[in-house]
Amino acid sequence: MNVLFLNAGRRCELVKSFKRVLSKFPGGGLVFGSDISPLASALQFVDEKVLFPHSSDPSFYSEFMTFCKLKKVDLVIPTIDPDLVYLDQLRNEISKALPKLKLLLPSSEIISMSADKKLTKKAMLEMGVTVPAELEQGGDVEFPIFVKPIKGSSAIGAARVNNRFELEASLLSVEEPILEKFIDGPEFTVDVYCSKIGGALMAIPRKRLSVRGGEVSKGVVERKADLEEIAMSIANSLKCNSPITIQFKEQDGQYYLIEINARLGGGLPLTIAAGANWPLWILNETQGRDPGVEDGVLDGMIMSRFDDSVFIKTKNSNKEEPDLTGVKSVIFDMDDTLYPEREFVYSGYREVAKYCLENYGVYVEDELRRRFEYGERGDLFSTVFKSLGLQLKESEILKLVRIYRTHKPSISPFVDVEILKELYKDGYTLGLISDGWHEVQEAKWNALGLDKYFTHKIFTDSLGKDYWKPHPRSYELMNSWLGLDYDKTVYVADNVAKDFIAPNKLGMHSLKINRYGSVHAKELAHQAENEAEYEIDSLVDLRRMLKGESKK
């Protein structure tokens, strides 16, 4: 039984609870964790971690599906609200491609409803559930009131508002706000275990004693039969078949529903510690068995969270410099190894911006650059035009892509690339292996003017998309041309996601060059096979190591 926590983030306790159960589970299993950042703390507790791009990136789906298939993942557990919506939209497609893969998701109707506070309020009122009264913007209100975004999570933008001045400030900062009567009383989060075969089987209320960043930091299990009955009744009315959390506030003996989260709650580890074995029940159901729900929960169990740290080995931790004195050939990557890739991106954006200004009368260069710096990838042209209230036809977007890919790049090598002249004069054979669209990479190479120093070059796209890195074919082909043993070559590159897997397996030396501000600068190797043999800060280090000189 293999489990993948999608965007595991800081869910360290939840990950560890599933690992404990899996260690005694029939047949055992592994816990995988993904995130967009290698520094996510929960990734340090999983059996194997993987970095996926943001779900808005077109490459996310294929990478996610490939990983699930390769690692034989049985269950995917989303931990953040945006992933619920994303997986829900693709659940039929995922089911067809990987029919054995289970997603810990309730119905599409519950996901849609819980993602929208107005829809939640409407559905609850129709069920006869008490909710805070909604207030009209601009009307007379009695302070304090509560303001929150219609769509949002982690309590971002949600706050008590005490006066008209605070209200005006809140309305300016909160996107699509909803105003409610403020309920002054204790808050309860109810973990509701819902089964695919039996509906709501258990509800455990947790009283929030202290909250930080929208998540409980101190809480206590407080069994309340009336509240548990209300929560289970709501879940059953919704025909929920997957665990959810429901938040209430209590005032004058009345429970007001505040929010529904269609996933495992951030404070669930308290409920688990009190004796409600959510992980075991979930795993049992995933294997088609009865969950085996038992109520042995210890009432009054308190959770007090504290700050803890994980320590992640980084550059050259416990590594000795490799002996490169026997190396005869140096093979380079191109993007962010020999020149700053951002220069090409910005050069392309400028040409696209010129075309857009001339043909559509809009200026897009700054917005394209801003979104790129923010980390957005994929079809930025469509995104930027939509933000301007314009909709381009697919053929027009393809025209912009073509301009970007075929423009004459305005780029130049890093200053230390001058060292290639010395290496060439010293008799080293220089080669290039670079991923990307062939015509684009060829244009970059021509703009850099380095061809005279290189004996061989391979643009992997010329071999076919299937042979892009990390496929070993380009490295094998390069070494066959060189006529050298693999240990007589070193590959210098920057991207731990793909650059060093094949060289490491083939027995080549490998060096990761750290370029400030590079596209992959913040990425850390998440598996041993991704790590370079050693890391360097410039080609000065490469030259020194080739000569066998000690570090100054």
mmCIF file of all heavy atoms in Angstrom, residues 331-341 344 411 413-414 417 431-438 440-450 454 457-459 469 491-494 499 513 515:
data_model
loop_
_atom_site.group_PDB
_atom_site.id
_atom_site.type_symbol
_atom_site.label_atom_id
_atom_site.label_comp_id
_atom_site.label_asym_id
_atom_site.label_seq_id
_atom_site.Cartn_x
_atom_site.Cartn_y
_atom_site.Cartn_z
ATOM 1 N N ILE A 331 32.007 18.208 -20.723
ATOM 2 C CA ILE A 331 30.730 18.364 -21.421
ATOM 3 C C ILE A 331 29.886 19.362 -20.637
ATOM 4 O O ILE A 331 29.781 19.265 -19.411
ATOM 5 C CB ILE A 331 29.971 17.019 -21.532
ATOM 6 C CG1 ILE A 331 30.911 15.896 -21.975
ATOM 7 C CG2 ILE A 331 28.785 17.158 -22.485
ATOM 8 C CD1 ILE A 331 31.599 16.133 -23.294
ATOM 9 N N PHE A 332 29.292 20.301 -21.328
ATOM 10 C CA PHE A 332 28.518 21.353 -20.668
ATOM 11 C C PHE A 332 27.040 21.286 -21.049
ATOM 12 O O PHE A 332 26.685 20.926 -22.181
ATOM 13 C CB PHE A 332 29.038 22.745 -21.065
ATOM 14 C CG PHE A 332 30.419 23.053 -20.563
ATOM 15 C CD1 PHE A 332 31.530 22.773 -21.351
ATOM 16 C CD2 PHE A 332 30.615 23.633 -19.322
ATOM 17 C CE1 PHE A 332 32.818 23.063 -20.902
ATOM 18 C CE2 PHE A 332 31.892 23.929 -18.855
ATOM 19 C CZ PHE A 332 32.992 23.639 -19.649
ATOM 20 N N ASP A 333 26.219 21.671 -20.103
ATOM 21 C CA ASP A 333 24.844 22.083 -20.372
ATOM 22 C C ASP A 333 24.933 23.521 -20.887
ATOM 23 O O ASP A 333 25.989 24.155 -20.794
ATOM 24 C CB ASP A 333 24.042 21.994 -19.066
ATOM 25 C CG ASP A 333 22.653 22.576 -19.174
ATOM 26 O OD1 ASP A 333 21.942 22.231 -20.129
ATOM 27 O OD2 ASP A 333 22.295 23.403 -18.311
ATOM 28 N N MET A 334 23.826 24.075 -21.405
ATOM 29 C CA MET A 334 23.887 25.441 -21.907
ATOM 30 C C MET A 334 23.120 26.424 -21.017
ATOM 31 O O MET A 334 23.708 27.348 -20.448
ATOM 32 C CB MET A 334 23.350 25.517 -23.342
ATOM 33 C CG MET A 334 23.404 26.929 -23.934
ATOM 34 S SD MET A 334 23.205 27.017 -25.734
ATOM 35 C CE MET A 334 21.638 26.214 -25.976
ATOM 36 N N ASP A 335 21.801 26.257 -20.888
ATOM 37 C CA ASP A 335 20.967 27.221 -20.169
ATOM 38 C C ASP A 335 21.351 27.300 -18.698
ATOM 39 O O ASP A 335 21.349 26.293 -17.982
ATOM 40 C CB ASP A 335 19.492 26.843 -20.291
ATOM 41 C CG ASP A 335 19.012 26.836 -21.738
ATOM 42 O OD1 ASP A 335 19.366 27.769 -22.464
ATOM 43 O OD2 ASP A 335 18.298 25.890 -22.124
ATOM 44 N N ASP A 336 21.670 28.506 -18.234
ATOM 45 C CA ASP A 336 22.068 28.790 -16.861
ATOM 46 C C ASP A 336 23.367 28.105 -16.449
ATOM 47 O O ASP A 336 23.710 28.073 -15.268
ATOM 48 C CB ASP A 336 20.958 28.433 -15.857
ATOM 49 C CG ASP A 336 19.956 29.561 -15.699
ATOM 50 O OD1 ASP A 336 20.335 30.720 -15.940
ATOM 51 O OD2 ASP A 336 18.791 29.286 -15.345
ATOM 52 N N THR A 337 24.077 27.541 -17.426
ATOM 53 C CA THR A 337 25.413 27.011 -17.191
ATOM 54 C C THR A 337 26.444 27.868 -17.921
ATOM 55 O O THR A 337 27.428 28.306 -17.328
ATOM 56 C CB THR A 337 25.522 25.551 -17.666
ATOM 57 O OG1 THR A 337 24.615 24.737 -16.912
ATOM 58 C CG2 THR A 337 26.935 25.015 -17.488
ATOM 59 N N LEU A 338 26.161 28.157 -19.188
ATOM 60 C CA LEU A 338 27.068 28.984 -19.978
ATOM 61 C C LEU A 338 26.565 30.418 -20.139
ATOM 62 O O LEU A 338 27.336 31.312 -20.486
ATOM 63 C CB LEU A 338 27.266 28.348 -21.357
ATOM 64 C CG LEU A 338 27.942 26.961 -21.359
ATOM 65 C CD1 LEU A 338 28.055 26.434 -22.782
ATOM 66 C CD2 LEU A 338 29.308 27.020 -20.687
ATOM 67 N N TYR A 339 25.280 30.642 -19.933
ATOM 68 C CA TYR A 339 24.716 31.998 -20.023
ATOM 69 C C TYR A 339 23.467 32.058 -19.140
ATOM 70 O O TYR A 339 22.888 31.016 -18.799
ATOM 71 C CB TYR A 339 24.349 32.336 -21.484
ATOM 72 C CG TYR A 339 22.980 31.830 -21.868
ATOM 73 C CD1 TYR A 339 21.877 32.684 -21.887
ATOM 74 C CD2 TYR A 339 22.757 30.478 -22.146
ATOM 75 C CE1 TYR A 339 20.622 32.217 -22.194
ATOM 76 C CE2 TYR A 339 21.509 29.998 -22.461
ATOM 77 C CZ TYR A 339 20.434 30.870 -22.472
ATOM 78 O OH TYR A 339 19.173 30.398 -22.772
ATOM 79 N N PRO A 340 23.011 33.241 -18.731
ATOM 80 C CA PRO A 340 21.803 33.359 -17.898
ATOM 81 C C PRO A 340 20.534 33.132 -18.732
ATOM 82 O O PRO A 340 20.249 33.913 -19.647
ATOM 83 C CB PRO A 340 21.856 34.801 -17.375
ATOM 84 C CG PRO A 340 23.226 35.308 -17.691
ATOM 85 C CD PRO A 340 23.687 34.548 -18.892
ATOM 86 N N GLU A 341 19.789 32.098 -18.411
ATOM 87 C CA GLU A 341 18.599 31.757 -19.198
ATOM 88 C C GLU A 341 17.567 32.890 -19.188
ATOM 89 O O GLU A 341 16.805 33.063 -20.138
ATOM 90 C CB GLU A 341 17.964 30.469 -18.679
ATOM 91 C CG GLU A 341 16.819 29.973 -19.556
ATOM 92 C CD GLU A 341 16.280 28.629 -19.124
ATOM 93 O OE1 GLU A 341 16.749 28.079 -18.105
ATOM 94 O OE2 GLU A 341 15.374 28.111 -19.809
ATOM 95 N N PHE A 344 17.492 35.074 -22.239
ATOM 96 C CA PHE A 344 16.736 34.590 -23.398
ATOM 97 C C PHE A 344 15.237 34.829 -23.200
ATOM 98 O O PHE A 344 14.543 35.280 -24.116
ATOM 99 C CB PHE A 344 16.973 33.099 -23.632
ATOM 100 C CG PHE A 344 16.100 32.527 -24.719
ATOM 101 C CD1 PHE A 344 16.432 32.704 -26.052
ATOM 102 C CD2 PHE A 344 14.923 31.855 -24.404
ATOM 103 C CE1 PHE A 344 15.605 32.206 -27.057
ATOM 104 C CE2 PHE A 344 14.100 31.365 -25.399
ATOM 105 C CZ PHE A 344 14.444 31.536 -26.735
ATOM 106 N N ILE A 411 21.572 37.606 -26.044
ATOM 107 C CA ILE A 411 22.139 36.954 -24.867
ATOM 108 C C ILE A 411 23.657 36.971 -24.948
ATOM 109 O O ILE A 411 24.232 37.135 -26.035
ATOM 110 C CB ILE A 411 21.655 35.487 -24.733
ATOM 111 C CG1 ILE A 411 22.042 34.676 -25.977
ATOM 112 C CG2 ILE A 411 20.146 35.437 -24.522
ATOM 113 C CD1 ILE A 411 21.665 33.200 -25.901
ATOM 114 N N PRO A 413 27.400 35.172 -22.855
ATOM 115 C CA PRO A 413 27.876 34.184 -21.884
ATOM 116 C C PRO A 413 28.199 34.823 -20.533
ATOM 117 O O PRO A 413 28.440 36.027 -20.431
ATOM 118 C CB PRO A 413 29.150 33.633 -22.527
ATOM 119 C CG PRO A 413 29.084 34.032 -23.958
ATOM 120 C CD PRO A 413 28.320 35.312 -23.997
ATOM 121 N N PHE A 414 28.193 33.997 -19.490
ATOM 122 C CA PHE A 414 28.726 34.425 -18.210
ATOM 123 C C PHE A 414 30.193 34.812 -18.406
ATOM 124 O O PHE A 414 30.894 34.258 -19.269
ATOM 125 C CB PHE A 414 28.636 33.291 -17.174
ATOM 126 C CG PHE A 414 27.248 33.010 -16.681
ATOM 127 C CD1 PHE A 414 26.597 31.833 -17.033
ATOM 128 C CD2 PHE A 414 26.582 33.896 -15.843
ATOM 129 C CE1 PHE A 414 25.327 31.548 -16.557
ATOM 130 C CE2 PHE A 414 25.310 33.625 -15.357
ATOM 131 C CZ PHE A 414 24.675 32.454 -15.720
ATOM 132 N N VAL A 417 32.971 32.174 -18.576
ATOM 133 C CA VAL A 417 33.029 31.287 -19.747
ATOM 134 C C VAL A 417 34.301 31.544 -20.557
ATOM 135 O O VAL A 417 34.708 30.722 -21.381
ATOM 136 C CB VAL A 417 31.746 31.443 -20.602
ATOM 137 C CG1 VAL A 417 31.843 30.715 -21.923
ATOM 138 C CG2 VAL A 417 30.536 30.902 -19.816
ATOM 139 N N GLY A 431 32.408 19.554 -25.147
ATOM 140 C CA GLY A 431 31.164 19.143 -25.783
ATOM 141 C C GLY A 431 29.963 19.803 -25.133
ATOM 142 O O GLY A 431 30.063 20.391 -24.051
ATOM 143 N N LEU A 432 28.820 19.705 -25.782
ATOM 144 C CA LEU A 432 27.584 20.321 -25.294
ATOM 145 C C LEU A 432 26.438 19.333 -25.397
ATOM 146 O O LEU A 432 26.266 18.676 -26.433
ATOM 147 C CB LEU A 432 27.245 21.569 -26.115
ATOM 148 C CG LEU A 432 25.970 22.309 -25.707
ATOM 149 C CD1 LEU A 432 26.271 23.282 -24.571
ATOM 150 C CD2 LEU A 432 25.351 23.054 -26.887
ATOM 151 N N ILE A 433 25.651 19.216 -24.326
ATOM 152 C CA ILE A 433 24.398 18.461 -24.329
ATOM 153 C C ILE A 433 23.328 19.370 -23.743
ATOM 154 O O ILE A 433 23.415 19.778 -22.580
ATOM 155 C CB ILE A 433 24.486 17.158 -23.517
ATOM 156 C CG1 ILE A 433 25.514 16.204 -24.129
ATOM 157 C CG2 ILE A 433 23.117 16.484 -23.444
ATOM 158 C CD1 ILE A 433 25.709 14.920 -23.327
ATOM 159 N N SER A 434 22.322 19.707 -24.544
ATOM 160 C CA SER A 434 21.327 20.693 -24.108
ATOM 161 C C SER A 434 19.923 20.275 -24.510
ATOM 162 O O SER A 434 19.695 19.839 -25.635
ATOM 163 C CB SER A 434 21.664 22.062 -24.719
ATOM 164 O OG SER A 434 20.718 23.023 -24.326
ATOM 165 N N ASP A 435 18.997 20.432 -23.554
ATOM 166 C CA ASP A 435 17.581 20.154 -23.802
ATOM 167 C C ASP A 435 16.877 21.387 -24.365
ATOM 168 O O ASP A 435 17.358 22.517 -24.222
ATOM 169 C CB ASP A 435 16.885 19.783 -22.488
ATOM 170 C CG ASP A 435 16.898 18.287 -22.231
ATOM 171 O OD1 ASP A 435 17.356 17.527 -23.095
ATOM 172 O OD2 ASP A 435 16.449 17.879 -21.130
ATOM 173 N N GLY A 436 15.702 21.162 -24.933
ATOM 174 C CA GLY A 436 14.879 22.262 -25.429
ATOM 175 C C GLY A 436 14.586 22.099 -26.909
ATOM 176 O O GLY A 436 15.189 21.274 -27.598
ATOM 177 N N TRP A 437 13.631 22.914 -27.406
ATOM 178 C CA TRP A 437 13.280 22.832 -28.824
ATOM 179 C C TRP A 437 14.522 23.107 -29.668
ATOM 180 O O TRP A 437 15.251 24.064 -29.434
ATOM 181 C CB TRP A 437 12.189 23.845 -29.153
ATOM 182 C CG TRP A 437 10.923 23.606 -28.383
ATOM 183 C CD1 TRP A 437 10.457 24.331 -27.336
ATOM 184 C CD2 TRP A 437 9.980 22.548 -28.573
ATOM 185 N NE1 TRP A 437 9.283 23.800 -26.856
ATOM 186 C CE2 TRP A 437 8.966 22.704 -27.604
ATOM 187 C CE3 TRP A 437 9.902 21.478 -29.472
ATOM 188 C CZ2 TRP A 437 7.885 21.833 -27.504
ATOM 189 C CZ3 TRP A 437 8.814 20.613 -29.368
ATOM 190 C CH2 TRP A 437 7.823 20.798 -28.401
ATOM 191 N N HIS A 438 14.728 22.254 -30.650
ATOM 192 C CA HIS A 438 15.979 22.301 -31.425
ATOM 193 C C HIS A 438 16.232 23.683 -32.028
ATOM 194 O O HIS A 438 17.329 24.244 -31.887
ATOM 195 C CB HIS A 438 15.942 21.234 -32.531
ATOM 196 C CG HIS A 438 17.269 21.030 -33.196
ATOM 197 N ND1 HIS A 438 17.541 19.961 -34.018
ATOM 198 C CD2 HIS A 438 18.418 21.756 -33.169
ATOM 199 C CE1 HIS A 438 18.791 20.044 -34.463
ATOM 200 N NE2 HIS A 438 19.338 21.129 -33.959
ATOM 201 N N VAL A 440 15.188 26.543 -31.138
ATOM 202 C CA VAL A 440 15.432 27.538 -30.099
ATOM 203 C C VAL A 440 16.858 27.411 -29.568
ATOM 204 O O VAL A 440 17.587 28.395 -29.442
ATOM 205 C CB VAL A 440 14.420 27.386 -28.948
ATOM 206 C CG1 VAL A 440 14.746 28.352 -27.803
ATOM 207 C CG2 VAL A 440 13.000 27.615 -29.442
ATOM 208 N N GLN A 441 17.246 26.162 -29.262
ATOM 209 C CA GLN A 441 18.583 25.940 -28.712
ATOM 210 C C GLN A 441 19.670 26.294 -29.733
ATOM 211 O O GLN A 441 20.722 26.821 -29.379
ATOM 212 C CB GLN A 441 18.737 24.494 -28.249
ATOM 213 C CG GLN A 441 17.754 24.068 -27.151
ATOM 214 C CD GLN A 441 17.785 24.985 -25.945
ATOM 215 O OE1 GLN A 441 16.979 25.914 -25.830
ATOM 216 N NE2 GLN A 441 18.723 24.746 -25.044
ATOM 217 N N GLU A 442 19.399 26.001 -30.987
ATOM 218 C CA GLU A 442 20.363 26.331 -32.054
ATOM 219 C C GLU A 442 20.543 27.849 -32.151
ATOM 220 O O GLU A 442 21.666 28.351 -32.304
ATOM 221 C CB GLU A 442 19.861 25.772 -33.383
ATOM 222 C CG GLU A 442 20.870 25.839 -34.520
ATOM 223 C CD GLU A 442 21.852 24.672 -34.508
ATOM 224 O OE1 GLU A 442 21.405 23.510 -34.532
ATOM 225 O OE2 GLU A 442 23.063 24.962 -34.459
ATOM 226 N N ALA A 443 19.434 28.580 -32.030
ATOM 227 C CA ALA A 443 19.509 30.040 -32.091
ATOM 228 C C ALA A 443 20.301 30.593 -30.910
ATOM 229 O O ALA A 443 21.100 31.533 -31.054
ATOM 230 C CB ALA A 443 18.103 30.632 -32.121
ATOM 231 N N LYS A 444 20.073 30.036 -29.723
ATOM 232 C CA LYS A 444 20.836 30.461 -28.549
ATOM 233 C C LYS A 444 22.333 30.213 -28.762
ATOM 234 O O LYS A 444 23.178 31.069 -28.482
ATOM 235 C CB LYS A 444 20.371 29.693 -27.307
ATOM 236 C CG LYS A 444 18.961 29.962 -26.847
ATOM 237 C CD LYS A 444 18.625 29.035 -25.675
ATOM 238 C CE LYS A 444 17.200 29.165 -25.216
ATOM 239 N NZ LYS A 444 16.872 28.196 -24.146
ATOM 240 N N TRP A 445 22.630 29.026 -29.247
ATOM 241 C CA TRP A 445 24.041 28.636 -29.432
ATOM 242 C C TRP A 445 24.737 29.564 -30.418
ATOM 243 O O TRP A 445 25.863 30.004 -30.181
ATOM 244 C CB TRP A 445 24.103 27.189 -29.895
ATOM 245 C CG TRP A 445 25.500 26.637 -29.985
ATOM 246 C CD1 TRP A 445 26.166 26.252 -31.102
ATOM 247 C CD2 TRP A 445 26.399 26.426 -28.899
ATOM 248 N NE1 TRP A 445 27.418 25.806 -30.799
ATOM 249 C CE2 TRP A 445 27.590 25.908 -29.430
ATOM 250 C CE3 TRP A 445 26.317 26.634 -27.519
ATOM 251 C CZ2 TRP A 445 28.691 25.578 -28.656
ATOM 252 C CZ3 TRP A 445 27.416 26.299 -26.734
ATOM 253 C CH2 TRP A 445 28.578 25.786 -27.295
ATOM 254 N N ASN A 446 24.073 29.863 -31.482
ATOM 255 C CA ASN A 446 24.657 30.768 -32.480
ATOM 256 C C ASN A 446 24.881 32.163 -31.898
ATOM 257 O O ASN A 446 25.873 32.829 -32.211
ATOM 258 C CB ASN A 446 23.753 30.848 -33.706
ATOM 259 C CG ASN A 446 23.718 29.542 -34.481
ATOM 260 O OD1 ASN A 446 24.654 28.733 -34.412
ATOM 261 N ND2 ASN A 446 22.641 29.298 -35.214
ATOM 262 N N ALA A 447 23.959 32.605 -31.041
ATOM 263 C CA ALA A 447 24.084 33.928 -30.435
ATOM 264 C C ALA A 447 25.241 33.997 -29.446
ATOM 265 O O ALA A 447 25.854 35.057 -29.266
ATOM 266 C CB ALA A 447 22.779 34.306 -29.738
ATOM 267 N N LEU A 448 25.574 32.876 -28.825
ATOM 268 C CA LEU A 448 26.643 32.859 -27.825
ATOM 269 C C LEU A 448 28.037 32.890 -28.455
ATOM 270 O O LEU A 448 29.006 33.330 -27.819
ATOM 271 C CB LEU A 448 26.506 31.625 -26.923
ATOM 272 C CG LEU A 448 25.313 31.626 -25.967
ATOM 273 C CD1 LEU A 448 25.192 30.291 -25.256
ATOM 274 C CD2 LEU A 448 25.422 32.756 -24.954
ATOM 275 N N GLY A 449 28.157 32.400 -29.676
ATOM 276 C CA GLY A 449 29.440 32.461 -30.378
ATOM 277 C C GLY A 449 30.537 31.602 -29.779
ATOM 278 O O GLY A 449 31.720 31.972 -29.801
ATOM 279 N N LEU A 450 30.182 30.447 -29.246
ATOM 280 C CA LEU A 450 31.166 29.579 -28.593
ATOM 281 C C LEU A 450 31.522 28.339 -29.407
ATOM 282 O O LEU A 450 32.323 27.510 -28.969
ATOM 283 C CB LEU A 450 30.619 29.134 -27.222
ATOM 284 C CG LEU A 450 30.312 30.241 -26.208
ATOM 285 C CD1 LEU A 450 29.636 29.651 -24.977
ATOM 286 C CD2 LEU A 450 31.586 30.972 -25.821
ATOM 287 N N PHE A 454 34.163 24.053 -29.316
ATOM 288 C CA PHE A 454 33.482 22.777 -29.065
ATOM 289 C C PHE A 454 33.635 21.812 -30.231
ATOM 290 O O PHE A 454 33.397 22.173 -31.386
ATOM 291 C CB PHE A 454 31.993 23.021 -28.777
ATOM 292 C CG PHE A 454 31.737 23.583 -27.400
ATOM 293 C CD1 PHE A 454 32.075 24.894 -27.094
ATOM 294 C CD2 PHE A 454 31.181 22.799 -26.420
ATOM 295 C CE1 PHE A 454 31.848 25.413 -25.823
ATOM 296 C CE2 PHE A 454 30.942 23.302 -25.144
ATOM 297 C CZ PHE A 454 31.290 24.617 -24.844
ATOM 298 N N LYS A 457 28.484 18.718 -30.240
ATOM 299 C CA LYS A 457 27.316 19.248 -29.528
ATOM 300 C C LYS A 457 26.093 18.416 -29.881
ATOM 301 O O LYS A 457 25.947 17.940 -31.023
ATOM 302 C CB LYS A 457 27.078 20.719 -29.861
ATOM 303 C CG LYS A 457 26.773 21.038 -31.317
ATOM 304 C CD LYS A 457 26.547 22.540 -31.485
ATOM 305 C CE LYS A 457 26.147 22.891 -32.921
ATOM 306 N NZ LYS A 457 27.240 22.703 -33.879
ATOM 307 N N ILE A 458 25.218 18.238 -28.882
ATOM 308 C CA ILE A 458 23.979 17.477 -29.079
ATOM 309 C C ILE A 458 22.819 18.288 -28.504
ATOM 310 O O ILE A 458 22.800 18.609 -27.313
ATOM 311 C CB ILE A 458 24.028 16.108 -28.370
ATOM 312 C CG1 ILE A 458 25.130 15.227 -28.949
ATOM 313 C CG2 ILE A 458 22.669 15.401 -28.491
ATOM 314 C CD1 ILE A 458 25.287 13.903 -28.213
ATOM 315 N N PHE A 459 21.881 18.634 -29.361
ATOM 316 C CA PHE A 459 20.606 19.175 -28.901
ATOM 317 C C PHE A 459 19.653 17.985 -28.842
ATOM 318 O O PHE A 459 19.295 17.416 -29.883
ATOM 319 C CB PHE A 459 20.100 20.255 -29.859
ATOM 320 C CG PHE A 459 21.037 21.428 -29.977
ATOM 321 C CD1 PHE A 459 21.608 21.770 -31.197
ATOM 322 C CD2 PHE A 459 21.375 22.176 -28.864
ATOM 323 C CE1 PHE A 459 22.481 22.831 -31.303
ATOM 324 C CE2 PHE A 459 22.242 23.249 -28.956
ATOM 325 C CZ PHE A 459 22.807 23.576 -30.179
ATOM 326 N N LYS A 469 16.847 14.892 -21.612
ATOM 327 C CA LYS A 469 17.314 14.492 -20.284
ATOM 328 C C LYS A 469 16.107 14.251 -19.363
ATOM 329 O O LYS A 469 15.098 14.927 -19.510
ATOM 330 C CB LYS A 469 18.223 15.596 -19.717
ATOM 331 C CG LYS A 469 19.530 15.771 -20.496
ATOM 332 C CD LYS A 469 20.410 16.865 -19.924
ATOM 333 C CE LYS A 469 19.934 18.250 -20.240
ATOM 334 N NZ LYS A 469 20.890 19.319 -19.820
ATOM 335 N N TYR A 491 30.534 16.174 -16.601
ATOM 336 C CA TYR A 491 29.396 16.942 -17.104
ATOM 337 C C TYR A 491 29.117 18.082 -16.143
ATOM 338 O O TYR A 491 28.965 17.873 -14.923
ATOM 339 C CB TYR A 491 28.154 16.056 -17.240
ATOM 340 C CG TYR A 491 26.990 16.752 -17.918
ATOM 341 C CD1 TYR A 491 27.129 17.264 -19.199
ATOM 342 C CD2 TYR A 491 25.760 16.886 -17.278
ATOM 343 C CE1 TYR A 491 26.074 17.908 -19.840
ATOM 344 C CE2 TYR A 491 24.694 17.512 -17.912
ATOM 345 C CZ TYR A 491 24.859 18.026 -19.181
ATOM 346 O OH TYR A 491 23.812 18.662 -19.808
ATOM 347 N N VAL A 492 29.052 19.299 -16.659
ATOM 348 C CA VAL A 492 28.827 20.494 -15.855
ATOM 349 C C VAL A 492 27.455 21.063 -16.218
ATOM 350 O O VAL A 492 27.209 21.393 -17.389
ATOM 351 C CB VAL A 492 29.918 21.555 -16.100
ATOM 352 C CG1 VAL A 492 29.693 22.765 -15.188
ATOM 353 C CG2 VAL A 492 31.300 20.967 -15.887
ATOM 354 N N ALA A 493 26.575 21.172 -15.229
ATOM 355 C CA ALA A 493 25.206 21.621 -15.499
ATOM 356 C C ALA A 493 24.618 22.228 -14.219
ATOM 357 O O ALA A 493 25.314 22.375 -13.213
ATOM 358 C CB ALA A 493 24.364 20.448 -15.999
ATOM 359 N N ASP A 494 23.297 22.572 -14.259
ATOM 360 C CA ASP A 494 22.712 23.294 -13.127
ATOM 361 C C ASP A 494 21.421 22.708 -12.580
ATOM 362 O O ASP A 494 21.001 23.062 -11.481
ATOM 363 C CB ASP A 494 22.414 24.732 -13.560
ATOM 364 C CG ASP A 494 21.272 24.816 -14.554
ATOM 365 O OD1 ASP A 494 21.419 24.286 -15.668
ATOM 366 O OD2 ASP A 494 20.220 25.390 -14.221
ATOM 367 N N ASP A 499 19.593 16.788 -14.875
ATOM 368 C CA ASP A 499 20.907 16.845 -15.523
ATOM 369 C C ASP A 499 21.865 15.743 -15.112
ATOM 370 O O ASP A 499 22.725 15.329 -15.911
ATOM 371 C CB ASP A 499 21.568 18.203 -15.248
ATOM 372 C CG ASP A 499 20.994 19.320 -16.090
ATOM 373 O OD1 ASP A 499 20.381 19.017 -17.137
ATOM 374 O OD2 ASP A 499 21.130 20.497 -15.709
ATOM 375 N N ILE A 513 26.867 23.558 -11.170
ATOM 376 C CA ILE A 513 27.349 24.930 -11.044
ATOM 377 C C ILE A 513 26.217 25.793 -10.518
ATOM 378 O O ILE A 513 25.090 25.770 -11.034
ATOM 379 C CB ILE A 513 27.912 25.461 -12.381
ATOM 380 C CG1 ILE A 513 28.584 26.821 -12.159
ATOM 381 C CG2 ILE A 513 26.848 25.524 -13.475
ATOM 382 C CD1 ILE A 513 29.486 27.243 -13.304
ATOM 383 N N ARG A 515 24.563 29.120 -10.169
ATOM 384 C CA ARG A 515 24.493 30.454 -10.766
ATOM 385 C C ARG A 515 23.426 31.258 -10.037
ATOM 386 O O ARG A 515 22.258 30.854 -9.980
ATOM 387 C CB ARG A 515 24.131 30.354 -12.252
ATOM 388 C CG ARG A 515 25.125 29.588 -13.108
ATOM 389 C CD ARG A 515 26.455 30.308 -13.213
ATOM 390 N NE ARG A 515 27.275 29.812 -14.328
ATOM 391 C CZ ARG A 515 28.505 30.227 -14.583
ATOM 392 N NH1 ARG A 515 29.076 31.139 -13.807
ATOM 393 N NH2 ARG A 515 29.187 29.744 -15.606
#
